[in-house]
């Protein structure tokens, strides 16, 4: 009796619940859900009863395709949402997908969403979800996809997670999970993707059960503190396409039969572990038939039937670098039709590269440095048109470099240094994209090929430690080399002047037959020794300059007409990049210089005004106009200029939003006021003129190219580091008293960066580069400034310090106390035009 009564009560309650929820219309449910959410950017404004459109058209909603219409998917990713995720959403009877990825939800894992009966996909990736995975995670038994990646989920993964037997994707990457991973993964028989990567607090072996997952396609366990060996069970991963076990502490051998089974493999990455031993015969071994075939035909050229490679056919990326492997490298890899990337550097692999490499028609990148490979460099390489990097230094390759070694039109980096190659260097003709060529430390003979000078972007050339003879070709002056190392050869004759003036002499050393300035032997006809000049451009800096006519008009209260009238031929004092500079006398009697921007590019005048307004808003005392006059400059003044300019740039780069790059730093663009307070001008002109006009103006101003960072040629994207480089050049000017670029003779000039490097290299000390007109008491500070300038002008952009750091370093040199700290000053002299 009692039992019956209880069930009746239960039934009626259930009925009541059901009727209540079904009474709520879907729009009401959605609005209840919305009410729990914080939506600062008002992205959900369309969610409203007053909205004219049907609720199925509200932001982020998708409804079922059949009638009656009902919400099936809620996709609200990357909308800056926070607050609560209300379980009211579970009253939507057909909701299958809930995607709240990329928001700011700061919650524990919302277990109440397990009430959503139809839910199959729950995506909470990239939020601020915290706390452990609770045992009750098992309540999500019907989920097919669970994505909690990119949160702060911590603690051990509970065994109860094994109850999620329907999962096809489980992504827990990039969290704070710790401890060992439980042995329950074998239960996820439907799993296609398992991602536990980037959980650096895990301390676990790889669960062997994973090997049972025949349907698994992506297994991502990289950077997660896994140790122990790769389970033998992995041979069971028959569907695997992407395997990433890199950056762990895995030890031992790779399972011997692994390769036989992984026929669908696209990417294999076990790099950066402590794996060792010889590589299994299994990996791609069936491709051996092919190798045998190709050995007979010397140079393989043609297609192969699919039968000859029935495994690894799909492999594109093979990465085993930085382990302790030794023994023969799996040879079949070299001839796979889809292979793009082979990285095996820093192991002990032996073996040869077969001619059949020409079959690897998609190959882009080979890095096998620091192994024990031997044999010759096959001609087949030259037939691979997609190859852009071939790096095989520190091996035992011998014989001649094949004549087509640089035939790939994509080739950018070749490093064959530290091998036993002999013969002459072939003329590289076709690789117009070659940036770096290193053939150092071989036994190459003959002359340096002249056609190297026809490779327009060649930047690093290291031919040191060979037996090269003959002269250094004059034509190499055409190149904008950052590194030219021919030391320890048997070269002779005079060194082309731009090479010797531009590059450190040590890179020429060990060639007793070479002669030229800075070398032990001077050539018989002699070259003039460089003369010192003062800071002439500062000395003749007169009166300067407003940013643009528009600003000037609004700032100084004269009309545009007055200015235009005053700007005639007589008032012009010179041409800048972007137009003529005029000196104009204002009604007040004050003299100002005005730059008239003549080249507006394609920007409309409306856009121009908007940009000028933006630029005018930047009120910083080092980034304004105004005028000055220079007499003589002692070190203290120069340091003050350097600090001011650096502060101006740091401000542009970091403090001002949106960030602005100067892109045209040079001493001509630095104006000084009566207190030697520097003012940067011409900043952000690219924004006024438009990119195309800006670029062509720069190009037309080739005499100032010495301010441009070396990467400017091939990296069109402007960067802070390029500004830093230009600043370094200015700093060198201040320390050395030399112009940035000096014409040395009719067709040679020295840029100050190269001049300093060369001087320092010869004399092993920076004292020689300091401006002799400045008293010795400042030497220490000046040497410090040289050090900073060297870092700013580093060939490698990443090595240049951020401008804020440069400011600090320069300030720490300044012996005077009370140096004014520049800060944003709201009372600066002009206000924003409206
Ligand atoms: C959604 O809006 C489109 C036009 O914007 C309209 O054609 C469609 O009928 C609307 N759907 C519903 C369910 O109201
Ligand atoms: C999110 O908010 C931040 C600042 O609170 C803002 O910078 C960002 O643009 C917003 N993102 C979106 C997608 O609205
Ligand atoms: C979750 O959303 C993110 C961001 O849109 C997406 O990259 C990821 O693939 C989604 N996860 C799943 C399992 O669909
Ligand atoms: C995994 O599956 C096995 C057998 O199917 C079962 O005994 C075990 O309880 C399951 N584990 C979990 C955590 O569900
Ligand atoms: C490998 O183990 C060492 C020593 O236990 C540890 O310091 C290091 O962080 C581990 N590396 C990884 C990638 O887990
Ligand atoms: C390839 O040649 C080697 C010896 O050179 C031989 O052991 C191997 O069986 C050959 N493989 C095939 C598939 O013919
Ligand atoms: C390889 O074959 C192609 C045509 O299939 C031909 O154009 C090319 O010259 C051949 N290369 C060599 C080295 O025989
Ligand atoms: C080999 O098989 C793949 C599919 O597995 C196919 O795309 C390719 O065209 C085949 N190649 C040849 C030469 O038959
Ligand atoms: C070469 O690789 C070994 C590991 O095999 C490593 O210890 C060594 O530092 C590497 N040498 C260079 C120059 O990178
Ligand atoms: C070439 O390889 C050597 C030895 O591995 C290395 O030291 C050098 O940095 C490499 N050169 C370039 C330009 O990558
Ligand atoms: C250069 O040639 C000389 C004599 O021919 C030889 O003794 C020397 O070993 C060679 N040096 C190199 C680096 O090959
Ligand atoms: C130039 O080559 C020599 C000899 O190989 C070497 O010792 C030196 O480090 C190289 N210099 C640079 C900057 O690469």
């Amino acid at each position: 009796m009692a039992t019956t009564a209880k069930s009746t009560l239960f039934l009626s309650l259930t009925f009541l619940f059901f009727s209540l929820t079904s009474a709520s219309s879907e729009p009401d449910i959605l609005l209840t859900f919305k009410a729990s959410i914080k939506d600062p950017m008002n992205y959900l404004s369309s969610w409203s009863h007053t909205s004219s459109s049907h609720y199925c058209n509200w932001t982020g909603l998708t409804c079922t395709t059949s009638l009656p219409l009902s919400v099936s998917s809620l996709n609200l990713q990357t909308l800056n949402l926070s607050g609560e995720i209300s379980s009211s959403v579970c009253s939507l009877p057909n909701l299958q997908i809930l995607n709240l990825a990329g928001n700011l939800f700061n919650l524990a894992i919302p277990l109440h969403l397990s009430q959503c009966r139809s839910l199959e996909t729950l995506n909470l990736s990239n939020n601020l979800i915290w706390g452990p995975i609770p045992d009750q995670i098992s309540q999500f038994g019907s989920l097919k996809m669970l994505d909690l990646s990119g949160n702060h989920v911590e603690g051990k993964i509970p065994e109860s997670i094994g109850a999620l037997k329907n999962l096809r994707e489980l992504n827990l990457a990039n969290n704070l999970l710790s401890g060992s991973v439980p042995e329950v993964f074998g239960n996820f028989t439907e799993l296609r993707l398992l991602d536990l990567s980037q959980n650096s607090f895990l301390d676990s072996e790889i669960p062997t059960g994973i090997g049972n997952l025949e349907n698994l396609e992506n297994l991502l366990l990289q950077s997660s503190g896994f140790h122990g060996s790769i389970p033998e069970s992995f041979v069971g991963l028959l569907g695997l396409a992407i395997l990433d076990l890199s950056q762990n502490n895995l030890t031992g051998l790779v399972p011997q039969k692994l390769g036989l089974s992984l026929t669908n493999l696209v990417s294999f990455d076990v790099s950066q572990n402590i794996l060792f031993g010889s590589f299994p015969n299994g990996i791609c071994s069936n491709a051996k038939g092919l190798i045998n075939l190709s050995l007979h035909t010397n140079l393989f050229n043609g297609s192969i039937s699919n039968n000859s490679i029935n495994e690894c056919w799909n492999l594109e990326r093979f990465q085993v670098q930085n382990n302790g492997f030794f023994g023969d490298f799996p040879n079949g890899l070299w001839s796979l039709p889809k292979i793009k990337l082979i990285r095996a550097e820093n192991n002990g692999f032996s073996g040869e590269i077969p001619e059949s490499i020409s079959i690897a028609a998609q190959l882009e990148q080979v890095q096998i440095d620091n192994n024990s490979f031997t044999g010759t460099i096959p001609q087949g390489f030259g037939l691979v048109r997609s190859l852009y990097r071939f790096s095989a230094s520190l091996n035992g390759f011998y014989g001649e470099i094949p004549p087509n070694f640089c035939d790939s039109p994509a080739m950018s980096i070749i490093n064959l240094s530290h091998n036993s190659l002999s013969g002459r260097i072939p003329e590289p003709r076709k690789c117009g994209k070659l940036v770096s060529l290193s053939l150092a430390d071989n036994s190459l003979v003959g002359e340096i090929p002249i056609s190297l000078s026809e490779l327009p972007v060649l930047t690093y050339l290291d031919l040191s430690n060979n037996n090269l003879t003959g002269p250094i070709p004059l034509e190499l002056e055409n190149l904008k080399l950052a590194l030219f190392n021919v030391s320890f050869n048997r070269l002779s004759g005079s060194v082309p002047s731009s090479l010797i003036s531009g590059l450190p002499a040590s890179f020429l050393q060990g060639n007793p037959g070479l002669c030229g300035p800075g070398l032990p032997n001077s050539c018989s006809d002699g070259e003039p020794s460089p003369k010192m000049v003062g800071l002439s451009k500062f000395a003749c800096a007169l009166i300067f300059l407003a940013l643009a006519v528009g600003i000037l008009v609004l700032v100084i209260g004269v009309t545009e007409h007055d200015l235009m009238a005053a700007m005639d031929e007589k008032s012009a004092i010179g041409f800048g990049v972007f137009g003529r500079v005029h000196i104009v006398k204002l009604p007040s009697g004050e003299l100002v210089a005005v730059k008239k921007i003549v080249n507006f590019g394609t920007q409309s005048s409306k856009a121009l005004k908007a940009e000028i307004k933006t630029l005018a808003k930047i009120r910083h005392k080092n980034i304004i106009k105004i005028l000055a006059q220079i007499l003589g400059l002692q070190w203290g003044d120069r340091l003050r200029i350097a600090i001011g300019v650096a502060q101006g740039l740091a401000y542009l780069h970091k403090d001002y939003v949106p960030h602005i790059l100067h892109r045209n730093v040079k001493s001509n663009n630095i104006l000084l006021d009566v207190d030697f307070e520097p003012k940067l001008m011409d900043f952000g002109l690219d924004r006024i003129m438009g990119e195309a006009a800006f670029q062509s103006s720069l190009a037309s101003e080739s005499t100032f190219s010495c301010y441009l960072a070396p990467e400017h040629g091939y990296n069109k994207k402007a960067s802070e580091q390029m500004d830093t480089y230009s600043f370094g050049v200015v700093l060198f000017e201040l320390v050395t008293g030399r112009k940035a670029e000096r014409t040395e003779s009719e067709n040679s000039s020295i840029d100050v960066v190269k001049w300093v490097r060369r001087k320092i290299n010869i004399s092993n000390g920076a004292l020689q580069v300091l401006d002799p007109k400045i008293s010795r008491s400042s030497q220490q500070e000046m040497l410090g400034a040289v050090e900073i300038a060297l870092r700013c002008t580093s060939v490698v952009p990443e090595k240049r310090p951020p401008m804020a750091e440069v400011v600090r370093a320069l300030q720490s040199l300044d012996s005077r106390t009370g140096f004014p700290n520049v800060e944003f000053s709201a009372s600066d002299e002009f206000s924003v035009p409206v």
Side-chain angles (χ1 to χ4, degrees):
M1 286 287 273
T3 329
T4 319
K6 240 190 216 166
S7 7
T8 316
L9 182 63
F10 178 70
L11 278 174
S12 56
L13 277 177
T14 310
F15 180 72
L16 183 65
F17 179 67
F18 180 73
S19 51
L20 271 179
T21 53
S22 61
S24 274
S25 69
E26 291 207 337
D28 287 336
I29 295 167
L30 289 164
L31 290 175
T32 310
F33 177 67
K34 178 186 172 181
S36 69
I37 287 178
K38 289 196 192 123
D39 174 18
M41 325 287 287
N42 217 5
Y43 282 114
L44 302 185
S45 57
S46 65
W47 290 36
S48 141
H49 273 311
T50 57
S51 161
S52 56
S53 68
H54 187 274
Y55 76 93
C56 284
N57 269 349
W58 290 357
T59 301
L61 293 191
T62 310
C63 283
T64 50
T65 44
S66 56
L67 290 171
L69 290 177
S70 174
V71 178
S72 61
S73 160
L74 206 45
N75 185 352
L76 301 176
Q77 54 175 315
T78 329
L79 301 178
N80 269 347
L81 305 178
S82 57
E84 299 294 319
I85 303 173
S86 154
S87 58
S88 62
V89 75
C90 292
S91 306
L92 296 167
N94 295 302
L95 185 68
Q96 291 181 347
I97 299 174
L98 179 58
N99 186 350
L100 300 173
N103 285 295
L104 302 167
F105 287 105
N106 189 341
L107 310 161
I109 294 176
L111 278 179
H112 55 265
L113 293 179
S114 62
Q115 293 165 29
C116 299
R117 295 271 165 72
S118 313
L119 197 63
E120 292 181 352
T121 296
L122 177 59
N123 194 339
L124 297 171
S125 63
N126 296 309
N127 275 284
L128 304 168
I129 310 278
W130 45 265
I133 301 176
D135 276 337
Q136 296 88 328
I137 194 79
S138 55
Q139 293 167 7
F140 280 106
S142 59
L143 277 187
K144 291 187 175 161
M145 299 194 190
L146 176 60
D147 193 341
L148 293 171
S149 61
N151 282 290
H152 304 307
V153 179
E154 62 186 25
K156 273 192 69 168
I157 301 175
E159 296 216 1
S160 64
I161 204 169
L164 309 188
K165 292 200 166 103
N166 294 309
L167 278 182
R168 295 167 68 92
E169 295 190 13
L170 176 60
N171 192 342
L172 301 174
N174 202 356
N175 276 293
L176 307 171
L177 296 168
S178 57
S180 77
V181 177
E183 263 298 344
V184 292
F185 286 82
N187 282 15
F188 298 141
T189 49
E190 299 298 317
L191 211 58
R192 304 291 192 276
L193 176 143
L194 176 60
D195 192 344
L196 301 178
S197 64
Q198 300 190 59
N199 279 285
S200 53
F201 299 118
L202 283 180
D203 180 5
S204 180
E205 301 212 350
I206 298 177
T208 53
I210 289 179
N212 302 343
L213 307 179
E214 287 185 16
N215 291 315
L216 201 62
E217 290 164 9
N218 296 339
L219 178 56
L220 308 174
L221 303 180
Q222 70 270 23
S223 309
S224 278
F226 284 106
H227 48 79
S229 55
I230 301 175
E232 287 288 337
S233 64
F234 269 31
V235 299
L237 295 171
L238 301 176
L240 205 60
I242 298 179
L243 176 64
D244 194 342
L245 306 178
S246 63
Q247 299 180 62
N248 284 295
N249 268 333
L250 298 173
T251 50
L253 303 161
V254 171
Q256 292 297 300
K257 290 187 184 137
L258 192 57
L260 291 172
S261 50
L262 306 184
T263 53
N264 293 316
L265 209 58
V266 173
S267 178
F268 178 83
D269 191 348
V270 297
S271 62
Q272 303 190 56
N273 280 290
I274 327 171
L275 297 164
F276 73 96
S278 66
F279 220 79
N281 297 329
I283 284 272
C284 306
S285 62
N286 275 13
K288 263 191 182 162
L290 175 67
I291 308 309
N292 289 6
L293 170 70
S294 63
L295 285 176
H296 291 297
T297 57
N298 192 24
L299 199 66
F300 190 94
N301 190 16
S303 67
I304 42 158
S305 82
N306 272 353
N307 296 338
S308 58
I309 308 178
N310 57 13
E311 68 182 53
C312 296
W313 178 263
N314 292 305
L315 196 63
E316 293 178 13
R317 295 182 295 277
F318 182 79
Q319 295 173 262
V320 298
Q321 71 269 23
N322 298 317
N323 279 291
F325 293 118
F326 51 80
D328 269 357
F329 187 75
N331 218 350
L333 279 168
W334 294 113
S335 325
L336 294 174
K338 295 185 183 171
I339 194 88
K340 288 195 167 106
L341 171 68
I342 295 177
R343 289 192 62 176
E345 67 267 26
N346 302 322
N347 282 290
F349 285 118
S350 52
E352 301 189 2
I353 303 177
E355 276 298 347
S356 59
I357 187 161
S358 59
I359 297 167
Q362 313 287 319
L363 196 57
E364 293 173 358
Q365 203 172 333
V366 174
Q367 287 173 256
I368 52 171
D369 311 77
N370 191 19
N371 280 286
S372 302
F373 285 95
T374 54
T376 57
I377 309 290
Q379 287 215 31
F381 255 120
L383 303 176
V384 181
R385 317 299 290 168
S386 47
L387 201 62
Y388 75 81
R389 175 171 195 157
F390 181 50
S391 192
S393 64
L394 288 163
N395 277 291
F397 289 107
Y398 54 80
E400 298 200 359
I401 302 174
N404 65 356
F405 82 112
C406 207
D407 272 10
S408 163
M411 189 61 90
S412 299
I413 300 172
I414 295 179
N415 194 344
L416 294 172
S417 61
H418 310 288
N419 278 290
S420 305
L421 298 166
S422 56
R424 307 170 70 88
I425 303 174
E427 297 275 346
R429 291 188 191 281
K430 297 187 180 165
C431 40
K433 293 194 174 150
L434 195 68
V435 173
S436 173
L437 176 62
S438 180
L439 301 174
D441 194 20
N442 280 286
S443 300
L444 299 167
V445 297
E447 301 197 351
I448 298 176
I450 291 179
S451 51
L452 282 173
S453 63
E454 287 156 28
L455 306 178
V457 293
L458 188 62
T459 311
Y460 303 84
L461 180 57
D462 188 351
L463 305 175
S464 63
N465 251 327
N466 279 288
N467 255 339
L468 301 174
T469 50
I472 297 175
L474 190 61
E475 290 81 354
L476 289 180
E477 291 195 331
N478 300 341
L479 297 174
K480 208 168 182 251
L481 290 169
L483 182 129
F484 178 67
N485 195 347
V486 291
S487 51
F488 302 103
N489 278 286
R490 293 189 283 148
L491 299 167
S492 55
S494 82
V495 180
S497 63
S498 83
L499 289 177
I500 197 166
S501 62
L503 290 151
S506 68
F507 299 176
L508 303 168
Q509 80 196 62
N511 291 283
L514 286 179
C515 66
L519 290 170
N521 309 331
S522 55
C523 304
S524 44
D525 48 357
E527 281 198 29
S529 64
K531 283 181 255 104
M532 291 291 172
V533 290
L535 276 181
S536 59
K537 66 173 47 102
F538 287 109
C540 71
L542 292 172
I543 300 176
F544 274 95
L545 202 231
L547 173 62
V549 176
I551 294 176
L552 195 67
V553 172
L554 288 149
V555 170
I556 61 179
V558 290
T559 66
E560 191 167 346
H561 179 80
D562 290 342
L563 284 173
M564 289 309 204
M567 286 193 286
D568 56 15
E569 290 297 322
K570 272 181 291 173
S571 69
I573 58 166
F575 281 91
V577 203
F578 303 107
R580 216 177 267 214
V581 179
H582 299 262
I583 298 183
V584 175
K585 191 168 187 180
L586 299 179
S588 65
E590 199 182 2
L591 288 173
V592 286
V594 178
K595 176 176 254 188
K596 187 175 167 191
I597 298 178
V598 292
N599 187 355
F600 288 148
T602 53
Q603 301 239 37
S604 67
S605 71
K606 195 171 161 207
L608 175 70
K609 277 188 184 144
E611 287 297 358
I612 289 179
K613 236 191 246 182
T614 308
L615 295 172
K617 275 190 230 164
I618 310 170
R619 289 176 297 167
H620 182 280
K621 74 174 184 175
N622 294 324
I623 307 175
I624 331 171
K625 50 190 182 76
I626 310 248
L627 51 125
Q629 181 175 345
I630 315 295
L631 306 166
L633 284 173
Q634 271 313 302
W635 173 246
D637 297 321
R638 296 190 195 183
L639 183 56
R640 192 182 178 84
I641 292 168
I643 294 176
V645 173
Q647 282 171 327
L649 283 174
Y651 176 78
L652 281 180
H653 287 177
K654 285 283 173 276
D655 299 343
Y656 187 76
V657 179
H659 300 315
I660 292 179
L661 298 175
H662 190 290
R663 301 188 63 181
N664 200 15
V665 178
K666 60 189 179 201
S667 47
N668 276 8
N669 274 342
I670 297 166
L671 318 174
L672 302 175
D673 68 12
V674 281
D675 302 319
F676 302 128
E677 195 68 64
K679 314 292 176 190
L680 274 171
M681 56 173 233
D682 266 6
F683 59 89
L685 274 178
D686 52 322
R687 292 165 65 100
I688 295 184
M689 302 174 63
E691 179 68 22
F694 180 74
Q695 284 293 345
S696 71
S697 309
L698 279 185
S700 69
E701 207 197 24
S702 58
T703 44
F704 294 112
S705 63
C706 56
Y707 289 98
L708 299 178
E711 71 271 20
H712 184 269
Y714 51 89
N715 185 1
K716 281 277 178 276
K717 196 161 161 17
S719 68
E720 288 180 17
Q721 289 95 337
M722 290 187 187
D723 276 356
T724 306
Y725 183 93
S726 309
F727 173 78
V729 177
V730 172
L731 188 53
F732 273 141
E733 289 182 271
L734 289 166
V735 182
T736 63
R738 279 177 72 93
K739 280 209 257 181
E741 182 125 33
R742 271 181 54 187
T743 309
E744 213 58 357
S745 64
E746 227 173 272
N747 41 23
S748 84
S749 59
I750 298 188
D751 108 28
V752 70
V753 178
K754 294 173 175 174
W755 180 82
V756 169
R757 285 201 199 132
R758 172 188 154 215
K759 279 277 182 195
I760 291 179
N761 257 286
I762 295 173
S763 62
N764 257 334
L767 276 179
Q768 286 196 36
V769 306
L770 306 184
D771 188 343
K773 293 191 298 305
I774 291 190
S775 86
R776 279 168 173 258
S777 60
S778 305
Q779 259 179 14
Q780 279 315 312
E781 291 180 19
M782 291 172 80
L783 289 175
V786 170
E787 193 66 43
I788 297 168
L790 281 170
R791 287 172 60 206
C792 290
T793 54
S794 165
V795 172
V796 183
E798 291 73 29
K799 289 196 177 159
R800 296 175 206 147
M803 285 312 298
E805 195 183 316
V806 174
V807 172
R808 282 193 296 275
L810 286 169
Q811 280 175 339
S812 75
L813 292 180
D814 192 6
S815 52
R816 290 163 300 159
T817 50
F819 190 86
N821 249 338
V822 176
E823 273 157 25
F824 178 88
S825 141
S827 61
D828 248 319
E829 59 210 270
F830 60 80
S831 56
V832 183
V834 261

